[in-house]
Amino acid sequence: MIEHDFILHQLSEYSDQHNDWPLAEWRLALEDINESPGQHHWLCADPVYIHPDRSEALLLAHEELEITHEEAEQLANLINQHYKDEPWELHVGSTHRWYIKSLQDYELQTRTINSVKGKNIFDYLPSGNDARYWQQCMNELQMLLHTSDINQQREEKGLLQINSLWLWGYGKRASEAGLNWDKIYSDDAVLNGLGIISGCDVARLTDELEDIEDTKGNILVYIQRLEEASQQQDIFTWLEELQYLEKYWFEPLLKKMEELPELLVTLLIDNNMAFQVSRKHMKRWWRSKNRNKLY
């Protein structure tokens, strides 16, 4: 399953592109970067810790890294100075979300950072006609970051080094993209950015359904509680999280349908399970869900 596949299948314009979705441009909508995405080409370049393990290199940490804003800016300046003659530069959107802004277009297919976590990066490196250049940059960046004063200080403090950047999200420039939901509850940066571009009301995901304000219309709730346990193949934690969802999301959702008859909820769980729930659907639970075209 390609990450964000469900969301992107709602956009007919991008439904057949798969490797060319402009995820970096969409995520950029969240950032306080004074740039117009359509004027340049964008690539996510997120700081990560990669652990060498015999013949493998495992991507073990991204948002788990305790990065300060000062560290992010100093490392970005170091990288930009090193690559000052190249047709691109690095921008810091947040401590964990960095971007490459390029004047040049590339033929490049990439894999999302979440799809690589805990895995051997050699199986997920960028591909395409221009991949060799970016793979070389990734190798150079590892050496540059390893010798930086920032990482020496982090090592002295017992913190993981920021020893690489993971490049992903490069795609064709987005024209108008539209999602049909009135409101989106999600912690996924790409989805939230696309929601903003589409004119949706976007909010961070709450811990439980009862914390969501009463609303009418068509809303999307994207829950990723099962994802980490699934990636680690931890069946016991997965079952505990499933019980949590049953208690704090599924059961309250059935009650809320009775209170708010005009509410239509699309519940997306870890991007591979999608359910559409409304008061009308509850009365026709025995019918096929194919007509909803959720997936």
Short mmCIF file of all heavy atoms in Angstrom, two decimals, residues 195-237:
data_model
loop_
_atom_site.label_atom_id
_atom_site.label_comp_id
_atom_site.label_asym_id
_atom_site.label_seq_id
_atom_site.Cartn_x
_atom_site.Cartn_y
_atom_site.Cartn_z
N GLY A 195 -5.49 19.58 2.93
CA GLY A 195 -6.78 20.08 3.39
C GLY A 195 -6.84 21.60 3.37
O GLY A 195 -7.84 22.19 2.95
N ILE A 196 -5.76 22.24 3.79
CA ILE A 196 -5.70 23.71 3.77
C ILE A 196 -5.80 24.23 2.35
O ILE A 196 -6.54 25.17 2.06
CB ILE A 196 -4.40 24.19 4.45
CG1 ILE A 196 -4.44 23.90 5.95
CG2 ILE A 196 -4.18 25.68 4.20
CD1 ILE A 196 -3.14 24.17 6.66
N ILE A 197 -5.04 23.61 1.43
CA ILE A 197 -5.08 24.02 0.03
C ILE A 197 -6.48 23.84 -0.54
O ILE A 197 -6.95 24.64 -1.36
CB ILE A 197 -4.06 23.20 -0.79
CG1 ILE A 197 -2.63 23.56 -0.38
CG2 ILE A 197 -4.24 23.44 -2.29
CD1 ILE A 197 -1.57 22.69 -1.01
N SER A 198 -7.18 22.80 -0.10
CA SER A 198 -8.51 22.48 -0.61
C SER A 198 -9.62 23.31 0.03
O SER A 198 -10.77 23.19 -0.36
CB SER A 198 -8.81 20.99 -0.40
OG SER A 198 -7.83 20.18 -1.01
N GLY A 199 -9.27 24.12 1.02
CA GLY A 199 -10.26 24.95 1.68
C GLY A 199 -11.01 24.25 2.80
O GLY A 199 -12.06 24.73 3.25
N CYS A 200 -10.48 23.12 3.27
CA CYS A 200 -11.10 22.41 4.39
C CYS A 200 -10.70 23.06 5.72
O CYS A 200 -9.63 23.67 5.83
CB CYS A 200 -10.68 20.95 4.42
SG CYS A 200 -11.05 20.00 2.94
N ASP A 201 -11.56 22.91 6.71
CA ASP A 201 -11.21 23.29 8.07
C ASP A 201 -10.39 22.14 8.64
O ASP A 201 -10.85 21.00 8.68
CB ASP A 201 -12.49 23.51 8.88
CG ASP A 201 -12.20 24.09 10.25
OD1 ASP A 201 -11.03 24.43 10.51
OD2 ASP A 201 -13.14 24.19 11.05
N VAL A 202 -9.17 22.42 9.10
CA VAL A 202 -8.24 21.37 9.54
C VAL A 202 -7.96 21.55 11.03
O VAL A 202 -7.72 22.66 11.50
CB VAL A 202 -6.93 21.42 8.74
CG1 VAL A 202 -5.93 20.45 9.30
CG2 VAL A 202 -7.20 21.13 7.27
N ALA A 203 -7.97 20.42 11.77
CA ALA A 203 -7.68 20.46 13.20
C ALA A 203 -6.84 19.24 13.57
O ALA A 203 -6.90 18.20 12.91
CB ALA A 203 -8.97 20.48 14.02
N ARG A 204 -6.07 19.39 14.64
CA ARG A 204 -5.29 18.25 15.14
C ARG A 204 -6.24 17.18 15.66
O ARG A 204 -7.32 17.47 16.16
CB ARG A 204 -4.35 18.70 16.26
CG ARG A 204 -3.27 19.67 15.83
CD ARG A 204 -2.27 19.03 14.90
NE ARG A 204 -1.64 17.85 15.48
CZ ARG A 204 -0.53 17.89 16.22
NH1 ARG A 204 0.06 19.05 16.49
NH2 ARG A 204 0.02 16.78 16.68
N LEU A 205 -5.79 15.95 15.57
CA LEU A 205 -6.60 14.84 16.03
C LEU A 205 -6.70 14.85 17.55
O LEU A 205 -5.71 15.07 18.25
CB LEU A 205 -5.97 13.52 15.57
CG LEU A 205 -6.76 12.25 15.90
CD1 LEU A 205 -8.06 12.22 15.12
CD2 LEU A 205 -5.93 11.02 15.60
N THR A 206 -7.90 14.62 18.05
CA THR A 206 -8.11 14.56 19.50
C THR A 206 -7.88 13.14 20.00
O THR A 206 -7.80 12.20 19.23
CB THR A 206 -9.54 15.00 19.85
OG1 THR A 206 -10.47 14.15 19.16
CG2 THR A 206 -9.78 16.44 19.42
N ASP A 207 -7.77 12.99 21.32
CA ASP A 207 -7.52 11.67 21.89
C ASP A 207 -8.75 10.76 21.79
O ASP A 207 -8.61 9.54 21.77
CB ASP A 207 -7.11 11.80 23.36
CG ASP A 207 -5.72 12.39 23.51
OD1 ASP A 207 -4.90 12.20 22.58
OD2 ASP A 207 -5.45 13.02 24.54
N GLU A 208 -9.92 11.36 21.75
CA GLU A 208 -11.12 10.56 21.67
C GLU A 208 -12.24 11.35 20.99
O GLU A 208 -12.18 12.57 20.90
CB GLU A 208 -11.57 10.10 23.06
CG GLU A 208 -11.75 11.23 24.05
CD GLU A 208 -11.97 10.72 25.46
OE1 GLU A 208 -11.00 10.36 26.14
OE2 GLU A 208 -13.16 10.66 25.86
N LEU A 209 -13.21 10.64 20.52
CA LEU A 209 -14.28 11.26 19.74
C LEU A 209 -15.03 12.32 20.52
O LEU A 209 -15.45 13.34 19.96
CB LEU A 209 -15.26 10.18 19.25
CG LEU A 209 -16.40 10.68 18.37
CD1 LEU A 209 -15.87 11.13 17.01
CD2 LEU A 209 -17.45 9.60 18.18
N GLU A 210 -15.19 12.13 21.81
CA GLU A 210 -15.97 13.07 22.61
C GLU A 210 -15.34 14.46 22.65
O GLU A 210 -16.01 15.44 22.97
CB GLU A 210 -16.14 12.54 24.05
CG GLU A 210 -17.01 11.30 24.14
CD GLU A 210 -18.40 11.52 23.55
OE1 GLU A 210 -18.96 12.62 23.72
OE2 GLU A 210 -18.92 10.60 22.92
N ASP A 211 -14.04 14.55 22.34
CA ASP A 211 -13.36 15.84 22.33
C ASP A 211 -13.60 16.63 21.04
O ASP A 211 -13.25 17.80 20.95
CB ASP A 211 -11.85 15.66 22.52
CG ASP A 211 -11.51 15.11 23.89
OD1 ASP A 211 -12.30 15.34 24.83
OD2 ASP A 211 -10.47 14.44 24.03
N ILE A 212 -14.20 15.97 20.05
CA ILE A 212 -14.51 16.66 18.80
C ILE A 212 -15.79 17.45 18.97
O ILE A 212 -16.80 16.94 19.45
CB ILE A 212 -14.67 15.65 17.64
CG1 ILE A 212 -13.32 15.02 17.31
CG2 ILE A 212 -15.26 16.31 16.41
CD1 ILE A 212 -13.36 14.03 16.16
N GLU A 213 -15.74 18.72 18.60
CA GLU A 213 -16.92 19.56 18.76
C GLU A 213 -18.04 19.08 17.85
O GLU A 213 -17.80 18.53 16.76
CB GLU A 213 -16.57 21.01 18.41
CG GLU A 213 -16.09 21.19 16.98
CD GLU A 213 -15.64 22.61 16.69
OE1 GLU A 213 -15.27 23.30 17.65
OE2 GLU A 213 -15.66 23.00 15.51
N ASP A 214 -19.27 19.25 18.31
CA ASP A 214 -20.41 18.86 17.49
C ASP A 214 -20.42 19.67 16.21
O ASP A 214 -20.27 20.89 16.21
CB ASP A 214 -21.72 19.09 18.26
CG ASP A 214 -21.88 18.07 19.39
OD1 ASP A 214 -21.13 17.07 19.38
OD2 ASP A 214 -22.74 18.28 20.25
N THR A 215 -20.57 18.99 15.12
CA THR A 215 -20.51 19.66 13.83
C THR A 215 -21.44 18.97 12.85
O THR A 215 -21.85 17.83 13.05
CB THR A 215 -19.08 19.65 13.27
OG1 THR A 215 -19.04 20.37 12.05
CG2 THR A 215 -18.60 18.23 13.02
N LYS A 216 -21.81 19.68 11.82
CA LYS A 216 -22.62 19.11 10.75
C LYS A 216 -21.74 18.97 9.52
O LYS A 216 -20.69 19.57 9.42
CB LYS A 216 -23.82 20.01 10.45
CG LYS A 216 -24.80 20.16 11.60
CD LYS A 216 -25.95 21.07 11.20
CE LYS A 216 -26.93 21.23 12.36
NZ LYS A 216 -28.06 22.13 12.00
N GLY A 217 -22.21 18.19 8.57
CA GLY A 217 -21.50 18.09 7.32
C GLY A 217 -20.67 16.83 7.22
O GLY A 217 -20.88 15.84 7.93
N ASN A 218 -19.68 16.89 6.36
CA ASN A 218 -18.87 15.73 5.99
C ASN A 218 -17.48 15.89 6.59
O ASN A 218 -16.74 16.81 6.23
CB ASN A 218 -18.80 15.66 4.46
CG ASN A 218 -18.13 14.41 3.96
OD1 ASN A 218 -17.68 13.58 4.73
ND2 ASN A 218 -18.05 14.28 2.64
N ILE A 219 -17.11 15.04 7.53
CA ILE A 219 -15.81 15.18 8.18
C ILE A 219 -14.98 13.91 7.98
O ILE A 219 -15.52 12.81 7.81
CB ILE A 219 -15.93 15.50 9.68
CG1 ILE A 219 -16.42 14.29 10.47
CG2 ILE A 219 -16.82 16.70 9.90
CD1 ILE A 219 -16.34 14.49 11.97
N LEU A 220 -13.66 14.09 7.99
CA LEU A 220 -12.71 12.98 7.90
C LEU A 220 -11.92 12.93 9.20
O LEU A 220 -11.41 13.94 9.67
CB LEU A 220 -11.75 13.18 6.73
CG LEU A 220 -10.57 12.21 6.66
CD1 LEU A 220 -11.06 10.80 6.31
CD2 LEU A 220 -9.54 12.66 5.63
N VAL A 221 -11.82 11.74 9.77
CA VAL A 221 -11.00 11.51 10.96
C VAL A 221 -9.94 10.48 10.59
O VAL A 221 -10.27 9.35 10.21
CB VAL A 221 -11.86 11.00 12.14
CG1 VAL A 221 -10.96 10.77 13.35
CG2 VAL A 221 -12.97 11.99 12.47
N TYR A 222 -8.68 10.87 10.66
CA TYR A 222 -7.57 9.99 10.28
C TYR A 222 -6.84 9.57 11.55
O TYR A 222 -6.16 10.37 12.19
CB TYR A 222 -6.63 10.73 9.32
CG TYR A 222 -5.48 9.89 8.78
CD1 TYR A 222 -5.46 8.51 8.88
CD2 TYR A 222 -4.40 10.51 8.15
CE1 TYR A 222 -4.42 7.77 8.37
CE2 TYR A 222 -3.34 9.77 7.63
CZ TYR A 222 -3.37 8.39 7.75
OH TYR A 222 -2.31 7.66 7.25
N ILE A 223 -6.96 8.30 11.91
CA ILE A 223 -6.37 7.76 13.13
C ILE A 223 -5.22 6.84 12.77
O ILE A 223 -5.36 5.93 11.96
CB ILE A 223 -7.43 6.98 13.94
CG1 ILE A 223 -8.60 7.90 14.33
CG2 ILE A 223 -6.81 6.37 15.20
CD1 ILE A 223 -9.74 7.19 15.02
N GLN A 224 -4.06 7.06 13.42
CA GLN A 224 -2.87 6.27 13.11
C GLN A 224 -2.35 5.50 14.32
O GLN A 224 -1.18 5.15 14.38
CB GLN A 224 -1.78 7.19 12.55
CG GLN A 224 -2.16 7.87 11.24
CD GLN A 224 -1.19 8.98 10.87
OE1 GLN A 224 -1.28 10.09 11.38
NE2 GLN A 224 -0.26 8.68 9.97
N ARG A 225 -3.23 5.21 15.28
CA ARG A 225 -2.80 4.58 16.52
C ARG A 225 -2.27 3.15 16.31
O ARG A 225 -1.46 2.67 17.10
CB ARG A 225 -3.95 4.54 17.52
CG ARG A 225 -4.39 5.90 18.04
CD ARG A 225 -5.41 5.74 19.14
NE ARG A 225 -4.83 5.14 20.32
CZ ARG A 225 -4.38 5.83 21.38
NH1 ARG A 225 -4.46 7.14 21.37
NH2 ARG A 225 -3.87 5.20 22.43
N LEU A 226 -2.73 2.48 15.29
CA LEU A 226 -2.31 1.09 15.07
C LEU A 226 -1.02 0.97 14.26
O LEU A 226 -0.43 -0.10 14.19
CB LEU A 226 -3.41 0.31 14.35
CG LEU A 226 -4.78 0.24 15.02
CD1 LEU A 226 -5.77 -0.49 14.13
CD2 LEU A 226 -4.68 -0.45 16.38
N GLU A 227 -0.61 2.09 13.67
CA GLU A 227 0.47 2.04 12.68
C GLU A 227 1.79 1.56 13.27
O GLU A 227 2.45 0.66 12.73
CB GLU A 227 0.64 3.41 12.04
CG GLU A 227 1.68 3.45 10.94
CD GLU A 227 1.73 4.82 10.29
OE1 GLU A 227 1.68 5.84 11.01
OE2 GLU A 227 1.83 4.87 9.06
N GLU A 228 2.22 2.16 14.39
CA GLU A 228 3.52 1.82 14.95
C GLU A 228 3.58 0.36 15.39
O GLU A 228 4.55 -0.35 15.12
CB GLU A 228 3.84 2.73 16.13
CG GLU A 228 5.22 2.49 16.72
CD GLU A 228 5.58 3.48 17.82
OE1 GLU A 228 4.80 4.42 18.04
OE2 GLU A 228 6.63 3.29 18.46
N ALA A 229 2.52 -0.11 16.07
CA ALA A 229 2.49 -1.51 16.51
C ALA A 229 2.51 -2.45 15.31
O ALA A 229 3.12 -3.52 15.35
CB ALA A 229 1.26 -1.76 17.36
N SER A 230 1.84 -2.06 14.25
CA SER A 230 1.82 -2.88 13.04
C SER A 230 3.20 -2.95 12.41
O SER A 230 3.65 -4.03 11.98
CB SER A 230 0.80 -2.33 12.05
OG SER A 230 0.78 -3.10 10.86
N GLN A 231 3.90 -1.80 12.34
CA GLN A 231 5.24 -1.78 11.77
C GLN A 231 6.21 -2.64 12.57
O GLN A 231 7.08 -3.29 12.01
CB GLN A 231 5.76 -0.33 11.70
CG GLN A 231 5.10 0.52 10.63
CD GLN A 231 5.63 1.94 10.62
OE1 GLN A 231 6.15 2.43 11.63
NE2 GLN A 231 5.51 2.62 9.50
N GLN A 232 6.03 -2.64 13.89
CA GLN A 232 6.92 -3.41 14.76
C GLN A 232 6.44 -4.85 14.94
O GLN A 232 7.07 -5.62 15.67
CB GLN A 232 7.04 -2.73 16.12
CG GLN A 232 7.66 -1.34 16.05
CD GLN A 232 7.71 -0.65 17.41
OE1 GLN A 232 7.18 -1.15 18.40
NE2 GLN A 232 8.35 0.50 17.46
N GLN A 233 5.32 -5.19 14.31
CA GLN A 233 4.73 -6.53 14.41
C GLN A 233 4.49 -6.91 15.86
O GLN A 233 4.73 -8.05 16.28
CB GLN A 233 5.63 -7.56 13.71
CG GLN A 233 5.80 -7.29 12.22
CD GLN A 233 6.64 -8.33 11.52
OE1 GLN A 233 7.32 -9.14 12.15
NE2 GLN A 233 6.59 -8.34 10.20
N ASP A 234 3.99 -5.94 16.62
CA ASP A 234 3.69 -6.12 18.04
C ASP A 234 2.19 -6.37 18.19
O ASP A 234 1.39 -5.43 18.31
CB ASP A 234 4.12 -4.88 18.83
CG ASP A 234 3.94 -5.03 20.33
OD1 ASP A 234 3.27 -5.99 20.76
OD2 ASP A 234 4.45 -4.18 21.07
N ILE A 235 1.78 -7.64 18.17
CA ILE A 235 0.36 -7.98 18.17
C ILE A 235 -0.33 -7.57 19.46
O ILE A 235 -1.51 -7.18 19.46
CB ILE A 235 0.17 -9.50 17.91
CG1 ILE A 235 -1.31 -9.85 17.80
CG2 ILE A 235 0.86 -10.31 18.98
CD1 ILE A 235 -2.03 -9.17 16.68
N PHE A 236 0.38 -7.63 20.60
CA PHE A 236 -0.24 -7.31 21.88
C PHE A 236 -0.57 -5.82 21.97
O PHE A 236 -1.66 -5.43 22.39
CB PHE A 236 0.67 -7.76 23.04
CG PHE A 236 0.92 -9.23 23.06
CD1 PHE A 236 2.13 -9.76 22.66
CD2 PHE A 236 -0.08 -10.11 23.47
CE1 PHE A 236 2.36 -11.12 22.67
CE2 PHE A 236 0.13 -11.48 23.49
CZ PHE A 236 1.35 -11.99 23.10
N THR A 237 0.40 -4.97 21.59
CA THR A 237 0.12 -3.54 21.57
C THR A 237 -0.96 -3.21 20.55
O THR A 237 -1.82 -2.35 20.79
CB THR A 237 1.41 -2.75 21.26
OG1 THR A 237 2.38 -3.05 22.25
CG2 THR A 237 1.14 -1.25 21.24
#
